[in-house]
Amino acid sequence: MSITRQLKVAAKWRAQFNPLRSLTFQRAVSLLEEGERGAYAELQWTYRFIEKREATLRALKHLRLSALGKLDWDIKTVDESPAAAAQAAKLRAAYDRIENLREAIRFLGLASFRGYAHLERRYEGDNPAAALVRLEPVEQWFLARDTVYGPWVYNEKAGSGTVSGTPIDPAHFLIREVEDPINEIGLICFLRKNLSQKDWDAFIEVYGIDPLFVEMPAQVPPEKEAEYQALAEAVVGDMRGALPNGAKIQTVTSGARGVNPFQQHLDYQDAQLVLAGTSGKLTMLNGPTGLGGGQSEVHADTFAELAQAEAGEISEIFQRQLDRSILGLASGVRPLAYFELAAKDQTDVGQLLDHAVKATQAGFRLDAAELSEKTGLKLTAAPVPAAQGFGGGAAFNRASSASADAETLRRASLDKLTKAIQADLAPLRAALQDALAKEDDAAFRAAAAEIRTQLPSLVKKQGADSATTKVFEEILGTALGGAGAEATSTPNR
């Protein structure tokens, strides 16, 4: 029975326990020390409650995980060989079968807050030999280890203070560990804010309403003093009523009672937490570069940048712990395809077309199909005027040709020359691709040695049968023909 199936029936008692009821600084220090020993159950259960009740920490958590969830994943290859393409197809099919891939990625991101995250591999029909269908999150309070360097074990009942349990097989898990989790700072800030808030509440009870005093009318009869005082206290007590003629209400100004220090103390704890949660890129979520400061782009860019950095680490976890097993590669064999989590390019079509125009003006030719794919527009190449005298035997009169025709001729010549060079080097390119497709190192070395011996025959000499030579002759012949026509049309002086 898998661990994640047992989680639904195990440790029901913990759901009845609120760790915040008895949380003090002494208790917090004890929990952090337990975490250093590998007894994580109480610490991680406390982290969960703090994440739900500490507003700043909750905002950081949701912003970071949502930025991570927006990233797109892809399968990349190290080269364009058939072997790399085959591995990429196998990886893509495996990742497409995972039902909760985005959920799994976000859960790995939670390790930045809690210190670690485990995903259990779930297979079709619970058969490890079958296809992988889910990566199931394992809540952190069900895991333990003997010191931070020990192997991970499953703490079935999430028992307090224990570092023992059922060993887990890393081959069936994806594990991410973070040395300095944000919640360690969040726990301290939460306690300090609570203490400050409690004192602030007491301060408000005493000083929240300005003190009121009643100045009695002059010459109050002695027998009426007690009655007037009772009446004045009743009026001040509920802020309504009638007073004798001539009585006055007096107040004490707030400045006479000193400065309220609590707001600054609370803001300082928020600043410390946000500094930890954004790696110093933001100081306060509601500050000049935060949620309420009018600079939303700076705020969004900060979390996008954090997500990109985190995505690189998570990509490596998938590559090391999952890709190799999917591909069935032996130890030491280099994979030719790999999983990558990265930002999806948001193409600026206008900017892309502007670059295309500039590239064309600089003399480069663009592939219409590739440009259509990049822009999302259906593009059709405009007809190109036929170049006079190129390859057809007719004279090319340079003196009378327009500049547009000359540019067209130059581009056509360059294109032909490029294709000719590619044709001459095609045998060498094919041999190199075949060698790179060799997965065995010895086979690769043998193929490379064979290429070295056959290099003269693979690279055609620039003789009469060379495609490059023939195109050069055609270009030069056209140019000379144009020069001759120009000479014959020039008057004899």
Side-chain angles (χ1 to χ4, degrees):
M1 186 176 183
S2 70
I3 287 178
T4 48
R5 286 188 180 276
Q6 298 178 54
L7 297 183
K8 299 182 183 300
V9 296
K12 291 185 178 180
W13 67 271
R14 184 163 288 283
Q16 309 299 321
F17 174 60
N18 181 359
L20 303 184
R21 286 185 178 273
S22 57
L23 187 60
T24 62
F25 270 107
Q26 183 177 0
R27 174 64 173 161
V29 171
S30 176
L31 291 176
L32 292 172
E33 289 175 348
E34 283 190 359
E36 290 298 314
R37 294 192 299 106
Y40 296 114
E42 293 291 346
L43 177 63
Q44 294 294 343
W45 189 248
T46 304
Y47 281 166
R48 173 180 176 270
F49 273 74
I50 292 176
E51 289 170 5
K52 294 169 63 177
R53 288 163 174 78
E54 162 53 50
T56 305
L57 182 61
R58 181 184 182 277
L60 283 170
K61 174 184 170 183
H62 282 262
L63 287 168
R64 288 191 58 147
L65 296 186
S66 62
L68 191 62
K70 292 178 182 178
L71 300 182
D72 196 22
W73 67 271
D74 198 3
I75 302 298
K76 300 294 185 67
T77 58
V78 299
D79 55 41
E80 298 181 358
S81 64
Q87 288 189 10
K90 188 173 183 179
L91 280 180
R92 185 172 296 279
Y95 277 97
D96 283 338
R97 278 194 298 266
I98 300 176
E99 302 170 356
N100 64 330
L101 184 56
R102 291 197 177 278
E103 176 194 8
I105 291 171
R106 287 193 298 270
F107 189 75
L108 289 181
L110 191 59
S112 297
F113 290 85
R114 298 183 180 177
Y116 57 86
H118 291 64
L119 294 170
E120 185 183 17
R121 303 188 196 184
R122 294 284 302 280
Y123 306 95
E124 189 173 349
D126 284 336
N127 180 10
L132 178 68
V133 293
R134 285 186 68 84
L135 292 171
E136 204 72 60
V138 181
E139 282 84 357
Q140 284 81 358
W141 45 91
F142 285 102
L143 292 157
R145 66 198 310 186
D146 190 1
T147 77
V148 295
Y149 303 106
W152 290 101
V153 297
Y154 170 52
N155 180 7
E156 180 179 352
K157 295 184 179 180
S160 303
T162 182
V163 296
S164 60
T166 305
I168 67 171
D169 184 358
H172 297 292
F173 285 82
L174 267 68
I175 304 173
R176 182 187 178 212
E177 299 181 38
V178 175
E179 177 67 22
D180 50 351
I182 298 169
N183 281 359
E184 287 191 3
I185 296 175
L187 173 59
I188 303 301
C189 290
F190 175 78
L191 282 169
R192 287 176 174 167
K193 288 178 68 175
N194 273 0
L195 290 175
S196 183
Q197 184 69 54
K198 183 178 68 173
D199 292 340
W200 196 1
D201 291 342
F203 178 87
I204 291 174
E205 287 181 4
V206 178
Y207 301 107
I209 300 175
D210 291 338
L212 299 178
F213 299 90
V214 177
E215 183 180 340
M216 291 294 188
Q219 300 178 351
V220 176
E223 65 275 10
K224 293 289 187 179
E225 286 181 356
E227 181 182 348
Y228 278 24
Q229 183 173 351
L231 182 60
E233 289 177 355
V235 170
V236 172
D238 62 8
M239 303 302 178
R240 58 179 61 86
L243 290 172
N245 183 33
K248 298 179 181 179
I249 301 294
Q250 303 290 347
T251 63
V252 177
T253 60
S254 299
R257 295 177 294 162
V259 179
N260 172 8
F262 302 104
Q263 184 65 56
Q264 291 181 348
H265 186 258
L266 292 172
D267 288 345
Y268 176 76
Q269 304 308 321
D270 282 338
Q272 295 300 299
L273 188 52
V274 175
L275 279 171
T278 63
S279 301
K281 297 182 183 298
L282 292 177
T283 55
M284 289 290 287
L285 285 179
N286 60 349
T289 57
L291 288 175
Q295 297 189 26
S296 299
E297 291 184 2
V298 175
H299 176 267
D301 290 345
T302 295
F303 286 97
E305 186 177 347
L306 289 170
Q308 284 281 23
E310 201 166 14
E313 182 182 346
I314 293 176
S315 295
E316 291 180 356
I317 291 173
F318 277 98
Q319 293 161 16
R320 291 195 310 267
Q321 302 181 26
L322 188 58
D323 286 6
R324 298 188 67 87
S325 62
I326 292 175
L327 296 174
L329 298 179
S331 178
V333 178
R334 184 179 65 127
L336 303 179
Y338 57 91
F339 172 90
E340 183 180 76
L341 181 66
K344 187 175 182 179
D345 293 334
Q346 300 296 328
T347 304
D348 186 335
V349 176
Q351 186 180 43
L352 190 58
L353 291 174
D354 182 62
H355 290 169
V357 171
K358 292 178 180 178
T360 303
Q361 292 174 346
F364 295 96
R365 297 191 63 180
L366 301 176
D367 183 76
E370 183 177 357
L371 190 59
S372 296
E373 179 182 355
K374 292 290 184 182
T375 60
L377 303 174
K378 186 175 181 180
L379 303 176
T380 304
V384 179
Q388 297 181 3
F390 184 75
F396 176 60
N397 191 335
R398 293 170 53 202
S400 60
S401 297
S403 59
D405 294 335
E407 180 66 16
T408 300
L409 174 61
R410 188 183 70 82
R411 293 178 189 172
S413 301
L414 181 61
D415 184 54
K416 276 198 169 187
L417 184 60
T418 301
K419 291 180 179 179
I421 295 173
Q422 290 176 346
D424 285 342
L425 296 178
L428 176 60
R429 181 179 180 182
L432 288 173
Q433 287 181 338
D434 182 66
L436 291 173
K438 307 289 186 185
E439 296 186 2
D440 183 73
D441 187 63
F444 171 75
R445 292 179 179 276
E450 182 69 16
I451 291 175
R452 187 174 183 180
T453 59
Q454 296 181 1
L455 193 59
S457 61
L458 290 174
V459 182
K460 292 183 178 181
K461 296 180 180 179
Q462 302 305 310
D465 60 339
S466 168
T468 306
T469 301
K470 292 179 180 179
V471 170
F472 263 125
E473 290 177 351
E474 187 175 1
I475 293 173
L476 291 175
T478 300
L480 290 174
E486 181 181 5
T488 56
S489 63
T490 304
N492 189 353
R493 297 182 179 178

